[in-house]
Amino acid sequence: MGYGRYITIRLLNALLVLALVTLLVSVLFTKVAEEDIRSTIQEQINLKLRSNPELQRQLAADPAKLQEWYQREYNRLIRVYELDKPFWVRVVQRTKDTLTLNFGNTKSPIFGETAVSKIISKAIPRTVILFTTAQIFVIFIGLLLGVKAAQMSGSFLDRGVSIVAMVTSSIPMWWFGMISILIFSFKMGWFPSGGMTSMPPKEGFAYYLDVLYHMVLPVTTIVFVLFGGWAWTTRNIMIGTMQEDFIMAARAKGVPERKVIYGHALRASAPPIVTMTIFSLLGSIGGAIITESVFNWPGMGRLYWTALQQNETRLLMGVTFVTVALYLIAMIIADLAYGYLDPRVKVGASQQT
Amino acid sequence: MRWVDVKASMKEFWFEFRRQKGGLFGLVLLFLLIVTALGAPYITEPDIPKKWSQYWEGNPTTVPPVWYNYFTTKKLAPHEVLTSNDLTIVSEGEDIGGGMKYYGFEFTYENNYDTPPSDIIIRNIGVKLTDLNSPAQIIITLVRPDGVKIELLNTDLREGTTYQLAKDGKVRNTVFRWASEFEDPQKIAESGETLKSTMDTMRVIFAKAQEGILTNPEALKGTYTFQVDIFTFNEGDQVDLSTTEIVLPGRTYGLMGTDYKARDLWAGLVWGTRVSLTVGVTVAVLTVLIGIFYGVTSAYLGGWKDEFMQRVNEFWASIPTLPILILLGAAFKGHVSLWTIVFLMVAFYWTGIAKVARSMALQIKEQTYVEAAIALGAGTGRIIFKHIMPQIMPYAFAAMALNVPGAVLTEASLSFLGLGDPTAVTWGQILYDAQTQSATINGYWWWVIPPGLAITLVAFTFVLIGISLDRVLNPRLKRL
């Protein structure tokens, strides 16, 4: 199977997944939104009646007339909100809207906007700034430590990396965030306890410095929780490679150890490591959902939290859709990179032959 | 596999595992956790989950644990409850003529602290009145270690009344009047009203009678005696002191302090172990069993069936888990039962294991003894369960242990988002409450640190066991 055909199949698969997930989510949310809309309709009718004394007087005299008026108003609003259409028609409509990035508006403004697509496009860059920066640190430190640990397997460093990896991967990242706020923000008073800028935001160059200052605590938290796992995985991959015959051959040939490690072993270990890198870089766009809300960082993660707390179903749909789409893109890129870097891997349906 | 073989391989396995120090340590931790989970009703009280959603009457809110005193120079009073056994009864219905009767009791409080209790609550005085219009009378007098006597309260006593001295306006007035005598008169004249409204009554009662008693009270240590006199005016009136309770809400409480609903966090921590272990282990076991079954079946069937099952697997695997779990939680309006959470996690987590199990099964399938079994006409089920599954089982155990931490962390995360089971006591929920009440910014460390440490400990336990199992069972890693 050719590479081109493989790409096409992979893309189609991803699109199908995206469509099906959207459909599934739409089913859930059409159901949730329905109850929401019904209560809105009640409120609107009551409001209309209250704000119109003339109508009130007219209807108060005749209960049958009130009933009739009420029913008429109710039916009209049901039509306005399209609740008269069958459930599945609404689900399909919602799916279509979501797939064409037509997310609608939120009930109350978030980040000063009500259009969901605008809110999300504001949130993404903020998350990128925070998590991508942190991920770059994680990857750099992780790779460095991992390779060193593999090189000196069984040493003090190697054991240290293993222990740190085990401990940090057991820590909930958001909890560690809470602890670092407690210590470094509350007790020591070194860093702000949350947010992206001071209030009110500073101007010009000072603004960027301010953002950097606000980033220190969250970035340190993310790096601390993640770097151990990265180092440990890199170490395991490297050790696996270093047991292969071609490394032995290189050593036997008298290739310098440095070259064996960086030239031969690291290159051969590249495919899984590159895949991991792509995944964590693109995955970071989704943001560690809860960590952001702990640090009050106004990115994608905080949006999730806000949408949940304020019951903003449209926003929830939008954020989920974007996160799933980015995740799928990451999967495709990672798969392609893997196939490209390691020709030994026969990807997809060709495994059988 | 015969029973003897199982026994032999278990023995061999244990021989290898024994040398894994981390694994043994993990087993010890696991044992302790299981003991805690099973013993929760005995370590604390059996009705904690029922009580958990309510406000805990009589406890102080958001105070640190008692042992916090070891680390501070200012000693904080612990929480104390005095029952009728701790009271000195002076009189039980002495007739003083005219149908009047006198009841009296005393209790003492040893104040060795820099910050005294936050209140004195007197409750459950069993009064029976014949005429509701003529209530009994209660007089509470304090005798301080410096010999000063203050009549704190002189008021009506009716059935079911609870006296909270720190919150009582009359007590406040009396104490303020008494304390102002020591304070700089100019200060009283200037800002008397402010001083009165901001005064911490308890601190003043337990303070040295000197200048600054209102603005900066300094604790007077020693024995404080509270005399309570009760007078009844009708012949049939009765007072029963056997149920009377005096609560001195502390500035510290128990082993782990309390939260904003005055709940004992120690009880929450102990009970949280149950949820964490149950969810973690159930999810891991079910996930691995389903994954292995799926993978092996797919590999064994082969051909288009295998292809189809792999496409389904890939589709399912490419759905990001946490966002969808959050969405589903929101769709259930935040009232997701624990078992729904377990079910959802199992539904999403089996895919990775299915992949690995399939690739292992593909190798085993090619072995000669399996081919021989097929040639001899063994059925599909027999081959899968008798020949392929036993080979994969060791891997399964390691996978189960390694899957627990993920499940524990996910459950905690969902609870932290406020999507957990509201009827269950979980560590994630304690942290959710802490977050919504801004515990970090207020410095309530005892509310934030222990639950997170507990989550980490459970996850760490299974990481240790899982990695050790992996080292023993995975020959490639064994050399490391």
Side-chain angles (χ1 to χ4, degrees):
Chain A
M1 188 170 69
Y3 203 57
R5 219 184 116 208
Y6 171 65
I7 296 176
T8 327
I9 289 180
R10 208 70 198 76
L11 269 174
L12 283 177
N13 191 44
L15 280 179
L16 185 71
V17 170
L18 190 62
L20 283 176
V21 170
T22 314
L23 184 70
L24 180 87
V25 175
S26 300
V27 171
L28 277 174
F29 275 83
T30 312
K31 197 105 196 105
V32 174
E34 192 174 321
E35 288 168 33
D36 226 39
I37 293 173
R38 279 190 201 280
S39 64
T40 318
I41 289 178
Q42 288 295 351
E43 266 169 44
Q44 283 192 1
I45 296 177
N46 289 340
L47 188 75
K48 195 167 180 181
L49 196 59
R50 261 204 310 276
S51 59
N52 193 340
E54 176 69 25
L55 191 69
Q56 253 174 13
R57 218 170 315 121
Q58 264 180 31
L59 295 176
D62 189 355
K65 213 169 168 188
L66 174 71
Q67 192 63 39
E68 193 196 325
W69 176 83
Y70 195 87
Q71 199 58 46
R72 207 173 50 231
E73 196 66 8
Y74 188 75
N75 289 341
R76 186 182 69 81
L77 283 171
I78 288 273
R79 257 197 311 284
V80 169
Y81 286 107
E82 299 186 329
L83 277 190
D84 55 333
K85 291 184 184 160
F87 182 67
W88 282 107
V89 175
R90 278 180 285 143
V91 169
V92 170
Q93 185 60 39
R94 190 178 273 262
T95 314
K96 238 197 251 163
D97 280 351
T98 311
L99 285 175
T100 51
L101 305 182
N102 189 2
F103 301 128
N105 294 319
T106 55
K107 284 176 276 182
S108 51
I110 292 166
F111 301 158
E113 301 279 356
T114 50
V116 170
S117 46
K118 272 197 184 147
I119 298 174
I120 293 176
S121 60
K122 266 195 172 179
I124 288 182
R126 293 168 179 168
T127 296
V128 169
I129 291 173
L130 181 64
F131 280 88
T132 311
T133 314
Q135 281 295 352
I136 289 169
F137 277 115
V138 168
I139 294 166
F140 187 71
I141 300 174
L143 274 181
L144 214 71
L145 274 178
V147 171
K148 271 271 172 285
Q151 204 176 341
M152 308 190 284
S153 77
S155 70
F156 179 72
L157 175 85
D158 184 28
R159 276 161 204 277
V161 163
S162 306
I163 291 169
V164 168
M166 283 187 220
V167 174
T168 53
S169 60
S170 311
I171 297 177
M173 190 196 280
W174 41 271
W175 172 71
F176 197 74
M178 290 169 91
I179 298 296
S180 47
I181 292 173
L182 192 65
I183 297 173
F184 297 107
S185 182
F186 172 73
K187 289 272 184 217
M188 308 285 191
W190 292 347
F191 298 104
S193 63
M196 196 170 90
T197 56
S198 312
M199 278 301 158
K202 293 182 175 149
E203 299 283 323
F205 186 65
Y207 173 82
Y208 296 100
L209 281 182
D210 194 39
V211 172
L212 275 182
Y213 180 52
H214 279 76
M215 270 170 67
V216 176
L217 215 49
V219 166
T220 319
T221 303
I222 299 166
V223 172
F224 181 83
V225 175
L226 294 183
F227 86 94
W230 252 87
W232 202 63
T233 317
T234 311
R235 165 201 180 266
N236 285 351
I237 295 172
M238 279 293 283
I239 284 184
T241 323
M242 273 154 72
Q243 287 172 3
E244 304 248 357
D245 294 340
F246 71 92
I247 298 285
M248 297 255 224
R251 277 189 179 142
K253 255 187 344 193
V255 177
E257 189 62 22
R258 236 185 115 74
K259 195 143 187 247
V260 172
I261 300 270
Y262 292 96
H264 293 67
L266 193 58
R267 214 161 100 193
S269 311
I273 292 176
V274 169
T275 320
M276 259 164 60
T277 311
I278 294 169
F279 251 103
S280 47
L281 276 179
L282 267 166
S284 69
I285 294 174
I289 290 173
I290 316 177
T291 308
E292 265 188 25
S293 46
V294 167
F295 282 104
N296 212 5
W297 187 267
M300 293 289 278
R302 243 284 297 284
L303 268 191
Y304 252 117
W305 172 270
T306 316
L308 271 176
Q309 302 283 325
Q310 303 184 4
N311 207 6
E312 293 279 9
T313 46
R314 286 171 190 282
L315 182 60
L316 260 179
M317 275 234 38
V319 184
T320 309
F321 177 79
V322 172
T323 317
V324 174
L326 286 171
Y327 180 81
L328 289 174
I329 292 171
M331 290 248 284
I332 293 174
I333 297 180
D335 265 9
L336 295 183
Y338 203 93
Y340 180 77
L341 284 168
D342 191 350
R344 287 175 304 176
V345 182
K346 288 191 222 155
V347 270
S350 61
Q351 278 167 332
Q352 258 66 40
T353 54
Chain B
M1 264 190 169
R2 283 172 306 154
W3 173 240
V4 204
D5 296 337
V6 175
K7 222 163 115 183
S9 69
M10 285 296 281
K11 224 174 184 173
E12 195 188 335
F13 167 76
W14 177 242
F15 181 74
E16 295 265 356
F17 189 82
R18 247 180 7 193
R19 286 187 292 185
Q20 300 286 336
K21 277 187 216 129
L24 288 181
F25 182 54
L27 281 184
V28 172
L29 286 180
L30 180 63
F31 176 74
L32 290 177
L33 285 170
I34 292 175
V35 168
T36 314
L38 291 179
Y42 309 103
I43 299 172
T44 60
E45 292 159 46
D47 57 341
I48 299 293
K50 239 196 220 153
K51 269 168 82 182
W52 198 250
S53 52
Q54 296 150 15
Y55 183 85
W56 286 28
E57 207 65 51
N59 278 8
T61 50
T62 51
V63 293
V66 170
W67 46 264
Y68 181 52
N69 273 340
Y70 293 119
F71 303 99
T72 49
T73 46
K74 289 230 174 258
K75 300 292 170 239
L76 309 171
H79 186 72
E80 270 182 57
V81 178
L82 306 179
T83 57
S84 57
N85 296 335
D86 303 309
L87 309 178
T88 319
I89 307 288
V90 176
S91 162
E92 271 184 296
E94 186 187 326
D95 205 330
I96 48 175
M100 283 167 63
K101 269 188 272 179
Y102 166 65
Y103 297 82
F105 66 89
E106 280 182 6
F107 62 91
T108 56
Y109 183 74
E110 203 68 45
N111 183 38
N112 302 319
Y113 314 98
D114 296 298
T115 313
S118 56
D119 203 347
I120 296 170
I121 302 170
I122 301 172
R123 62 181 183 196
N124 296 341
I125 303 177
V127 207
K128 288 265 180 316
L129 298 175
T130 42
D131 179 6
L132 290 180
N133 289 325
S134 62
Q137 189 184 25
I138 184 168
I139 300 169
I140 302 169
T141 316
L142 162 69
V143 183
R144 287 161 41 97
D146 55 5
V148 177
K149 222 172 168 179
I150 312 169
E151 190 183 291
L152 291 176
L153 190 66
N154 183 344
T155 187
D156 292 346
L157 173 63
R158 288 174 203 279
E159 287 173 36
T161 323
T162 296
Y163 298 95
Q164 295 187 297
L165 299 190
K167 296 200 177 92
D168 196 294
K170 283 185 197 159
V171 177
R172 178 176 287 270
N173 285 340
T174 317
V175 172
F176 181 75
R177 213 176 310 124
W178 168 73
S180 336
E181 286 173 26
F182 308 101
E183 200 55 87
D184 183 2
Q186 205 185 331
K187 234 187 226 163
I188 300 289
E190 273 172 14
S191 52
E193 277 310 305
T194 339
L195 278 177
K196 189 169 165 184
S197 58
T198 56
M199 174 182 78
D200 182 337
T201 315
M202 283 301 127
R203 285 189 150 203
V204 177
I205 287 180
F206 290 99
K208 282 181 186 155
Q210 60 187 21
E211 196 173 319
I213 186 170
L214 285 171
T215 47
N216 188 17
E218 200 179 310
L220 171 67
K221 295 181 183 172
T223 312
Y224 289 74
T225 309
F226 291 85
Q227 300 170 342
V228 181
D229 303 315
I230 298 168
F231 298 95
T232 59
F233 301 103
N234 291 319
E235 198 65 59
D237 290 355
Q238 275 178 354
V239 177
D240 175 18
L241 295 176
S242 64
T243 54
T244 307
E245 251 186 2
I246 318 285
V247 184
L248 298 135
R251 308 273 175 171
T252 60
Y253 184 93
L255 282 171
M256 283 295 162
T258 58
D259 67 2
Y260 76 118
K261 278 183 172 173
R263 296 178 291 200
D264 182 2
L265 285 171
W266 166 247
L269 277 181
V270 170
W271 279 84
T273 320
R274 292 192 156 198
V275 173
S276 202
L277 281 186
T278 319
V279 170
V281 173
T282 317
V283 169
V285 170
L286 288 181
T287 314
V288 170
L289 287 183
I290 292 174
I292 285 186
F293 181 71
Y294 191 92
V296 170
T297 312
S298 174
Y300 184 80
L301 293 177
W304 69 269
K305 290 174 192 153
D306 178 37
E307 186 70 21
F308 174 74
M309 285 174 86
Q310 287 314 301
R311 288 295 86 74
V312 172
N313 184 328
E314 271 161 30
F315 166 70
W316 207 243
S318 50
I319 301 173
T321 317
L322 194 59
I324 298 297
L325 283 179
I326 292 174
L327 268 182
L328 291 169
F332 289 122
K333 297 252 163 193
H335 293 292
V336 196
S337 81
L338 219 49
W339 295 113
T340 316
I341 294 179
V342 167
F343 172 77
L344 290 175
M345 278 199 258
V346 172
F348 282 106
Y349 284 172
W350 59 270
T351 51
I353 291 157
K355 275 261 175 224
V356 183
R358 175 176 169 273
S359 66
M360 290 175 87
L362 279 177
Q363 279 177 7
I364 297 168
K365 210 175 112 182
E366 301 304 320
Q367 308 253 317
T368 36
Y369 71 89
V370 177
E371 276 177 17
I374 297 174
L376 283 170
T380 311
R382 189 179 166 82
I383 289 171
I384 289 181
F385 284 104
K386 273 272 178 192
H387 296 292
I388 301 181
M389 283 296 215
Q391 304 259 347
I392 299 182
M393 275 338 261
Y395 160 76
F397 287 121
M400 280 176 192
L402 285 172
N403 261 283
V404 174
V408 170
L409 291 180
T410 311
E411 189 276 324
S413 303
L414 286 174
S415 302
F416 181 76
L417 281 169
L419 296 171
D421 189 334
T423 60
V425 187
T426 76
W427 298 328
Q429 234 148 34
I430 295 177
L431 285 168
Y432 167 73
D433 287 336
Q435 178 70 6
T436 50
Q437 304 294 322
S438 322
T440 41
I441 295 165
N442 289 317
Y444 303 145
W445 54 268
W446 60 92
W447 193 358
V448 179
I449 295 176
L453 277 184
I455 296 169
T456 309
L457 184 72
V458 170
F460 182 59
T461 303
F462 285 97
V463 167
L464 278 179
I465 296 175
I467 285 181
S468 304
L469 280 176
D470 218 26
R471 279 207 187 122
V472 173
L473 299 166
N474 194 338
R476 224 158 95 98
L477 285 165
K478 214 190 258 177
R479 273 194 267 166
L480 313 181

PDB file of all heavy atoms in Angstrom, chain B residues 235-255:
ATOM      1  N   GLU B 235     -44.344  24.811  91.001  1.00  0.00           N
ATOM      2  CA  GLU B 235     -44.227  23.581  91.773  1.00  0.00           C
ATOM      3  C   GLU B 235     -43.799  22.396  90.906  1.00  0.00           C
ATOM      4  O   GLU B 235     -42.890  21.651  91.249  1.00  0.00           O
ATOM      5  CB  GLU B 235     -45.591  23.275  92.429  1.00  0.00           C
ATOM      6  CG  GLU B 235     -45.552  22.290  93.579  1.00  0.00           C
ATOM      7  CD  GLU B 235     -44.770  22.852  94.761  1.00  0.00           C
ATOM      8  OE1 GLU B 235     -45.127  23.927  95.298  1.00  0.00           O
ATOM      9  OE2 GLU B 235     -43.767  22.202  95.111  1.00  0.00           O
ATOM     10  N   GLY B 236     -44.452  22.258  89.762  1.00  0.00           N
ATOM     11  CA  GLY B 236     -44.222  21.052  88.953  1.00  0.00           C
ATOM     12  C   GLY B 236     -42.993  21.114  88.044  1.00  0.00           C
ATOM     13  O   GLY B 236     -42.679  20.147  87.373  1.00  0.00           O
ATOM     14  N   ASP B 237     -42.327  22.250  87.977  1.00  0.00           N
ATOM     15  CA  ASP B 237     -41.185  22.381  87.069  1.00  0.00           C
ATOM     16  C   ASP B 237     -40.063  21.431  87.447  1.00  0.00           C
ATOM     17  O   ASP B 237     -39.792  21.211  88.630  1.00  0.00           O
ATOM     18  CB  ASP B 237     -40.639  23.813  87.111  1.00  0.00           C
ATOM     19  CG  ASP B 237     -41.596  24.790  86.461  1.00  0.00           C
ATOM     20  OD1 ASP B 237     -42.620  24.322  85.904  1.00  0.00           O
ATOM     21  OD2 ASP B 237     -41.345  26.002  86.512  1.00  0.00           O
ATOM     22  N   GLN B 238     -39.444  20.882  86.431  1.00  0.00           N
ATOM     23  CA  GLN B 238     -38.358  19.943  86.691  1.00  0.00           C
ATOM     24  C   GLN B 238     -37.165  20.255  85.815  1.00  0.00           C
ATOM     25  O   GLN B 238     -37.315  20.658  84.663  1.00  0.00           O
ATOM     26  CB  GLN B 238     -38.817  18.515  86.385  1.00  0.00           C
ATOM     27  CG  GLN B 238     -39.536  17.894  87.560  1.00  0.00           C
ATOM     28  CD  GLN B 238     -40.014  16.515  87.228  1.00  0.00           C
ATOM     29  OE1 GLN B 238     -39.911  16.063  86.104  1.00  0.00           O
ATOM     30  NE2 GLN B 238     -40.540  15.849  88.242  1.00  0.00           N
ATOM     31  N   VAL B 239     -35.985  20.028  86.335  1.00  0.00           N
ATOM     32  CA  VAL B 239     -34.764  20.205  85.553  1.00  0.00           C
ATOM     33  C   VAL B 239     -33.957  18.919  85.652  1.00  0.00           C
ATOM     34  O   VAL B 239     -33.729  18.413  86.746  1.00  0.00           O
ATOM     35  CB  VAL B 239     -33.932  21.398  86.058  1.00  0.00           C
ATOM     36  CG1 VAL B 239     -32.637  21.503  85.267  1.00  0.00           C
ATOM     37  CG2 VAL B 239     -34.716  22.695  85.946  1.00  0.00           C
ATOM     38  N   ASP B 240     -33.600  18.406  84.504  1.00  0.00           N
ATOM     39  CA  ASP B 240     -32.805  17.171  84.480  1.00  0.00           C
ATOM     40  C   ASP B 240     -31.445  17.504  83.873  1.00  0.00           C
ATOM     41  O   ASP B 240     -31.351  17.918  82.721  1.00  0.00           O
ATOM     42  CB  ASP B 240     -33.534  16.124  83.629  1.00  0.00           C
ATOM     43  CG  ASP B 240     -32.705  14.874  83.470  1.00  0.00           C
ATOM     44  OD1 ASP B 240     -31.766  14.678  84.263  1.00  0.00           O
ATOM     45  OD2 ASP B 240     -32.994  14.093  82.538  1.00  0.00           O
ATOM     46  N   LEU B 241     -30.400  17.362  84.635  1.00  0.00           N
ATOM     47  CA  LEU B 241     -29.062  17.774  84.166  1.00  0.00           C
ATOM     48  C   LEU B 241     -28.271  16.628  83.571  1.00  0.00           C
ATOM     49  O   LEU B 241     -27.132  16.796  83.153  1.00  0.00           O
ATOM     50  CB  LEU B 241     -28.272  18.379  85.335  1.00  0.00           C
ATOM     51  CG  LEU B 241     -28.848  19.677  85.897  1.00  0.00           C
ATOM     52  CD1 LEU B 241     -28.051  20.122  87.106  1.00  0.00           C
ATOM     53  CD2 LEU B 241     -28.845  20.767  84.838  1.00  0.00           C
ATOM     54  N   SER B 242     -28.900  15.430  83.500  1.00  0.00           N
ATOM     55  CA  SER B 242     -28.100  14.266  83.091  1.00  0.00           C
ATOM     56  C   SER B 242     -27.762  14.285  81.594  1.00  0.00           C
ATOM     57  O   SER B 242     -26.864  13.583  81.149  1.00  0.00           O
ATOM     58  CB  SER B 242     -28.833  12.981  83.432  1.00  0.00           C
ATOM     59  OG  SER B 242     -30.022  12.914  82.684  1.00  0.00           O
ATOM     60  N   THR B 243     -28.509  15.077  80.813  1.00  0.00           N
ATOM     61  CA  THR B 243     -28.197  15.088  79.374  1.00  0.00           C
ATOM     62  C   THR B 243     -27.401  16.327  78.976  1.00  0.00           C
ATOM     63  O   THR B 243     -27.028  16.481  77.822  1.00  0.00           O
ATOM     64  CB  THR B 243     -29.500  15.083  78.554  1.00  0.00           C
ATOM     65  OG1 THR B 243     -30.305  16.174  79.007  1.00  0.00           O
ATOM     66  CG2 THR B 243     -30.259  13.791  78.722  1.00  0.00           C
ATOM     67  N   THR B 244     -27.157  17.206  79.923  1.00  0.00           N
ATOM     68  CA  THR B 244     -26.526  18.488  79.606  1.00  0.00           C
ATOM     69  C   THR B 244     -25.129  18.307  79.020  1.00  0.00           C
ATOM     70  O   THR B 244     -24.363  17.448  79.450  1.00  0.00           O
ATOM     71  CB  THR B 244     -26.438  19.343  80.875  1.00  0.00           C
ATOM     72  OG1 THR B 244     -27.731  19.422  81.445  1.00  0.00           O
ATOM     73  CG2 THR B 244     -25.915  20.722  80.579  1.00  0.00           C
ATOM     74  N   GLU B 245     -24.867  19.127  78.024  1.00  0.00           N
ATOM     75  CA  GLU B 245     -23.575  19.050  77.343  1.00  0.00           C
ATOM     76  C   GLU B 245     -22.982  20.441  77.228  1.00  0.00           C
ATOM     77  O   GLU B 245     -23.707  21.403  76.957  1.00  0.00           O
ATOM     78  CB  GLU B 245     -23.783  18.530  75.918  1.00  0.00           C
ATOM     79  CG  GLU B 245     -23.277  17.132  75.704  1.00  0.00           C
ATOM     80  CD  GLU B 245     -23.398  16.763  74.234  1.00  0.00           C
ATOM     81  OE1 GLU B 245     -23.832  17.590  73.413  1.00  0.00           O
ATOM     82  OE2 GLU B 245     -23.012  15.656  73.915  1.00  0.00           O
ATOM     83  N   ILE B 246     -21.686  20.542  77.449  1.00  0.00           N
ATOM     84  CA  ILE B 246     -21.006  21.807  77.233  1.00  0.00           C
ATOM     85  C   ILE B 246     -20.024  21.577  76.096  1.00  0.00           C
ATOM     86  O   ILE B 246     -19.176  20.682  76.175  1.00  0.00           O
ATOM     87  CB  ILE B 246     -20.186  22.249  78.460  1.00  0.00           C
ATOM     88  CG1 ILE B 246     -20.947  22.010  79.751  1.00  0.00           C
ATOM     89  CG2 ILE B 246     -19.704  23.677  78.286  1.00  0.00           C
ATOM     90  CD1 ILE B 246     -22.044  22.957  80.035  1.00  0.00           C
ATOM     91  N   VAL B 247     -20.165  22.364  75.015  1.00  0.00           N
ATOM     92  CA  VAL B 247     -19.242  22.227  73.896  1.00  0.00           C
ATOM     93  C   VAL B 247     -18.327  23.443  73.875  1.00  0.00           C
ATOM     94  O   VAL B 247     -18.796  24.577  73.962  1.00  0.00           O
ATOM     95  CB  VAL B 247     -19.999  22.107  72.557  1.00  0.00           C
ATOM     96  CG1 VAL B 247     -19.023  21.880  71.420  1.00  0.00           C
ATOM     97  CG2 VAL B 247     -21.012  20.992  72.611  1.00  0.00           C
ATOM     98  N   LEU B 248     -17.042  23.191  73.808  1.00  0.00           N
ATOM     99  CA  LEU B 248     -16.077  24.283  73.675  1.00  0.00           C
ATOM    100  C   LEU B 248     -15.421  24.132  72.309  1.00  0.00           C
ATOM    101  O   LEU B 248     -14.430  23.429  72.166  1.00  0.00           O
ATOM    102  CB  LEU B 248     -15.033  24.184  74.789  1.00  0.00           C
ATOM    103  CG  LEU B 248     -15.619  24.313  76.202  1.00  0.00           C
ATOM    104  CD1 LEU B 248     -15.056  23.267  77.120  1.00  0.00           C
ATOM    105  CD2 LEU B 248     -15.386  25.705  76.729  1.00  0.00           C
ATOM    106  N   PRO B 249     -16.020  24.749  71.284  1.00  0.00           N
ATOM    107  CA  PRO B 249     -15.490  24.587  69.927  1.00  0.00           C
ATOM    108  C   PRO B 249     -14.049  25.099  69.879  1.00  0.00           C
ATOM    109  O   PRO B 249     -13.783  26.237  70.249  1.00  0.00           O
ATOM    110  CB  PRO B 249     -16.398  25.457  69.067  1.00  0.00           C
ATOM    111  CG  PRO B 249     -17.588  25.741  69.898  1.00  0.00           C
ATOM    112  CD  PRO B 249     -17.126  25.721  71.316  1.00  0.00           C
ATOM    113  N   GLY B 250     -13.126  24.220  69.450  1.00  0.00           N
ATOM    114  CA  GLY B 250     -11.713  24.568  69.524  1.00  0.00           C
ATOM    115  C   GLY B 250     -11.246  25.431  68.378  1.00  0.00           C
ATOM    116  O   GLY B 250     -11.975  25.737  67.440  1.00  0.00           O
ATOM    117  N   ARG B 251     -10.021  25.864  68.520  1.00  0.00           N
ATOM    118  CA  ARG B 251      -9.345  26.521  67.385  1.00  0.00           C
ATOM    119  C   ARG B 251      -8.550  25.477  66.625  1.00  0.00           C
ATOM    120  O   ARG B 251      -7.878  25.768  65.652  1.00  0.00           O
ATOM    121  CB  ARG B 251      -8.409  27.619  67.877  1.00  0.00           C
ATOM    122  CG  ARG B 251      -9.055  28.598  68.812  1.00  0.00           C
ATOM    123  CD  ARG B 251      -9.728  29.735  68.090  1.00  0.00           C
ATOM    124  NE  ARG B 251     -10.425  30.582  69.064  1.00  0.00           N
ATOM    125  CZ  ARG B 251     -10.971  31.750  68.788  1.00  0.00           C
ATOM    126  NH1 ARG B 251     -10.911  32.224  67.561  1.00  0.00           N
ATOM    127  NH2 ARG B 251     -11.575  32.449  69.702  1.00  0.00           N
ATOM    128  N   THR B 252      -8.571  24.250  67.120  1.00  0.00           N
ATOM    129  CA  THR B 252      -8.005  23.109  66.396  1.00  0.00           C
ATOM    130  C   THR B 252      -8.979  21.969  66.588  1.00  0.00           C
ATOM    131  O   THR B 252      -9.796  21.993  67.502  1.00  0.00           O
ATOM    132  CB  THR B 252      -6.644  22.675  66.977  1.00  0.00           C
ATOM    133  OG1 THR B 252      -6.840  22.308  68.338  1.00  0.00           O
ATOM    134  CG2 THR B 252      -5.601  23.749  66.876  1.00  0.00           C
ATOM    135  N   TYR B 253      -8.903  20.944  65.690  1.00  0.00           N
ATOM    136  CA  TYR B 253      -9.833  19.835  65.831  1.00  0.00           C
ATOM    137  C   TYR B 253      -9.219  18.551  65.314  1.00  0.00           C
ATOM    138  O   TYR B 253      -8.715  18.500  64.184  1.00  0.00           O
ATOM    139  CB  TYR B 253     -11.121  20.123  65.065  1.00  0.00           C
ATOM    140  CG  TYR B 253     -12.180  19.067  65.241  1.00  0.00           C
ATOM    141  CD1 TYR B 253     -13.142  19.186  66.227  1.00  0.00           C
ATOM    142  CD2 TYR B 253     -12.194  17.934  64.430  1.00  0.00           C
ATOM    143  CE1 TYR B 253     -14.100  18.211  66.402  1.00  0.00           C
ATOM    144  CE2 TYR B 253     -13.141  16.950  64.602  1.00  0.00           C
ATOM    145  CZ  TYR B 253     -14.103  17.091  65.599  1.00  0.00           C
ATOM    146  OH  TYR B 253     -15.040  16.117  65.767  1.00  0.00           O
ATOM    147  N   GLY B 254      -9.270  17.527  66.122  1.00  0.00           N
ATOM    148  CA  GLY B 254      -8.975  16.165  65.689  1.00  0.00           C
ATOM    149  C   GLY B 254      -7.631  15.977  65.012  1.00  0.00           C
ATOM    150  O   GLY B 254      -6.710  16.779  65.161  1.00  0.00           O
ATOM    151  N   LEU B 255      -7.557  14.908  64.234  1.00  0.00           N
ATOM    152  CA  LEU B 255      -6.292  14.535  63.612  1.00  0.00           C
ATOM    153  C   LEU B 255      -6.008  15.317  62.339  1.00  0.00           C
ATOM    154  O   LEU B 255      -4.865  15.487  61.948  1.00  0.00           O
ATOM    155  CB  LEU B 255      -6.320  13.043  63.258  1.00  0.00           C
ATOM    156  CG  LEU B 255      -6.081  12.088  64.412  1.00  0.00           C
ATOM    157  CD1 LEU B 255      -6.348  10.662  63.968  1.00  0.00           C
ATOM    158  CD2 LEU B 255      -4.645  12.228  64.892  1.00  0.00           C
TER     159      LEU B 255
END
